[in-house]
């Protein structure tokens, strides 16, 4: 399915500032997921986030960025998700994973189809041997076609639909913390 990997996505000083502002495990009341489908933390309530991260999320929901994503993807009439349903900030540590899946397509709050995901990786000094790659799988779910390492300041943009199978099925093997 259509996707793009954009390295050096943000100005480097901004990317480092966002990484430094990223909340620690005990800072913001993360929502924990720990089941057979995924193990990780996320927060979609922007009021719990540091100001810089809130501002970045708002920029990613801005008219200018949506026009950029429309041009990049060829998907017209995109509008943002101010509720961050399935979005917001996510964190994964050693042992965390996300099984391969296709995202929900109908956004109940917006009464619209979900069309596109934008992931921005802020993990400094990530070693590809630790895993953590987002895999984009084929329609038949026989295996990954693309594997995107969560390299610092990289963005992954992909269309969402019933066959946009993706995940991070290999648990992270990074050092604790």
């Amino acid at each position: 399915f259509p996707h793009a990997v954009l390295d050096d996505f943000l100005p480097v000083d901004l990317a480092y500032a966002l990484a430094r502002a990223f909340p620690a495990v005990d800072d913001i009341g993360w929502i924990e997921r720990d089941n057979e489908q995924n193990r990780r933390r996320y927060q979609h309530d922007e009021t719990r986030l540091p100001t810089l991260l809130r501002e970045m999320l708002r920029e990613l929901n801005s008219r200018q960025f949506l026009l950029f994503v429309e041009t990049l993807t060829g998907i017209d009439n995109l509008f943002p998700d101010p509720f961050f349903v399935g979005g917001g900030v996510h964190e994964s540590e050693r042992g965390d994973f996300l099984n391969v899946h296709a995202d929900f397509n109908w956004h109940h709050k917006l009464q619209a189809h979900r069309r596109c995901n934008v992931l921005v990786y802020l993990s400094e000094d990530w070693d590809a041997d630790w895993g953590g790659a987002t895999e984009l799988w084929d329609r038949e779910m026989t295996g990954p076609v693309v594997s995107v390492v969560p390299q610092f300041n990289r963005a992954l943009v992909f269309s969402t639909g019933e066959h946009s199978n993706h995940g991070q099925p290999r648990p992270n093997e990074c050092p604790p913390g």
Side-chain angles (χ1 to χ4, degrees):
F1 51 93
H3 66 278
V5 176
L6 307 170
D7 288 331
D8 303 317
F9 179 66
L10 299 169
V12 69
D13 290 344
L14 175 59
Y16 280 114
L18 288 164
R20 284 189 297 274
F22 206 86
V25 175
D26 299 326
D27 284 354
I28 62 166
W30 292 94
I31 299 167
E32 301 271 342
R33 291 284 185 241
D34 191 358
N35 57 50
E36 62 206 28
Q37 294 304 312
N38 74 75
R39 183 174 141 192
R40 61 184 51 222
R41 281 145 304 291
Y42 72 96
Q43 184 53 261
H44 58 255
D45 180 354
E46 67 177 289
T47 65
R48 294 178 170 260
L49 301 176
T51 301
L52 185 59
L53 286 170
R54 290 175 76 169
E55 290 173 355
M56 189 69 231
L57 289 174
R58 289 177 181 170
E59 281 297 314
L60 294 172
N61 270 347
S62 72
R63 173 185 184 273
Q64 293 79 11
F65 189 70
L66 289 173
L67 291 173
F68 165 74
V69 174
E70 284 183 357
T71 301
L72 178 69
T73 64
I75 302 170
D76 291 328
N77 303 311
L78 291 175
F79 53 92
D81 174 10
F83 302 101
F84 300 109
V85 175
V89 295
H90 292 247
E91 180 197 54
S92 59
E93 292 188 322
R94 182 176 184 81
D96 290 354
F97 66 95
L98 176 62
N99 281 341
V100 177
H101 65 287
D103 288 340
F104 65 90
N105 294 327
W106 183 251
H107 192 299
H108 67 282
K109 291 285 277 185
L110 297 177
Q111 294 293 293
H113 290 281
R114 187 173 179 184
R115 299 296 314 277
C116 188
N117 283 344
V118 177
L119 309 180
V120 180
Y121 301 104
L122 296 173
S123 300
E124 296 180 57
D125 303 319
W126 189 265
D127 185 329
D129 291 338
W130 297 340
T134 301
E135 298 178 356
L136 307 182
W137 282 46
D138 59 22
R139 180 181 288 246
E140 294 77 27
M141 292 284 290
T142 60
V145 176
V146 174
S147 182
V148 180
V149 174
Q151 178 178 313
F152 178 71
N153 201 15
R154 171 177 279 173
L156 169 60
V157 180
F158 60 94
S159 64
T160 58
E162 64 181 301
H163 300 293
S164 57
N165 303 309
H166 64 284
Q168 184 228 317
R170 178 180 157 201
N172 289 336
E173 297 175 20
C174 55

